[in-house]
Amino acid sequence: MFCDVSGCIFCRIVAGTAPSTRVYEDDTLCAFLDIRPITRGHTLVIPKRHATDLDDLDPELGARIFTLGHRLAKAVRRGELAADGANLVLNDGKAAFQTVHHVHLHVVPRRHGDRLTFAKGFLLRRPHDTETTAAAIRAGLDRLETEENRP
Ligand code: 5GP
Ligand code: ZN
């Protein structure tokens, strides 16, 4: 399948040649704040290796992407962001409104009764205080790990 990796903004983020506010990284995955968030803490999980869409994605990597999305959804419930839930969304292909053609899973934190804020955020897509937001998500991930390691 054709993919113009050199022109891919998410590949450039992985390579560090385009800026991003990262919240998590390992050998195969990277998670960073969406530049135009719907809600505070809106994060994208991507494979480091370019895959254009689900047809192009190794299923094991797909499972890892979801696992990290799952952890982030739990992390944003912990600490300062105090989410009550999250929307996990993957737009697969142009027909499904995928605009960046490097697979990514959206993790969009939600609060009880946030319907109006969500609708406004969906229209305006304005960034929040990125550094404190990213720090809150990282702290949530740390808290989650502490909970998991508790005997
Ligand atoms: P899609 O519609 O393809 O599922 O969503 C692509 C997402 O990527 C959008 O939410 C958009 O705001 C985000 N995005 C596009 N370009 C950049 C960028 O350069 N940096 C970051 N952090 N997010 C981006
Ligand atoms: Zn790419």
Side-chain angles (χ1 to χ4, degrees):
M1 176 164 295
F2 173 76
C3 52
D4 179 12
V5 176
S6 63
C8 173
I9 181 62
F10 288 176
C11 282
R12 281 192 266 134
I13 284 175
V14 170
T17 54
S20 70
T21 309
R22 293 187 196 211
V23 299
Y24 176 86
E25 182 172 7
D26 63 25
D27 289 349
T28 53
L29 303 175
C30 182
F32 51 87
L33 296 183
D34 195 297
I35 205 168
R36 298 178 63 230
I38 297 173
T39 65
R40 182 168 178 231
H42 180 173
T43 298
L44 302 173
V45 178
I46 67 163
K48 283 189 167 175
R49 180 190 291 217
H50 184 93
T52 305
D53 56 19
L54 290 185
D55 246 357
D56 193 29
L57 182 71
D58 172 72
E60 281 210 5
L61 202 43
R64 283 191 201 189
I65 290 169
F66 185 79
T67 300
L68 179 53
H70 185 179
R71 291 186 73 71
L72 285 164
K74 290 170 81 171
V76 296
R77 283 173 164 86
R78 287 152 175 84
E80 197 217 317
L81 282 185
D84 300 305
N87 294 110
L88 271 64
V89 177
L90 192 153
N91 298 326
D92 178 41
K94 268 191 190 151
F97 305 130
Q98 182 179 359
T99 58
V100 176
H101 296 280
H102 178 135
V103 169
H104 51 280
L105 177 67
H106 295 259
V107 180
V108 184
R110 300 296 304 270
R111 306 281 288 270
H112 288 306
D114 72 354
R115 212 189 285 192
L116 280 179
T117 323
F118 181 84
K120 202 172 141 196
F122 199 84
L123 292 173
L124 297 177
R125 310 285 303 257
R126 289 215 182 107
H128 303 260
D129 43 333
T130 49
E131 283 312 323
T132 51
T133 301
I137 297 173
R138 286 186 215 110
L141 285 170
D142 288 346
R143 197 179 279 204
L144 182 60
E145 205 176 319
T146 306
E147 279 175 30
E148 288 168 344
N149 292 331
R150 206 172 281 154

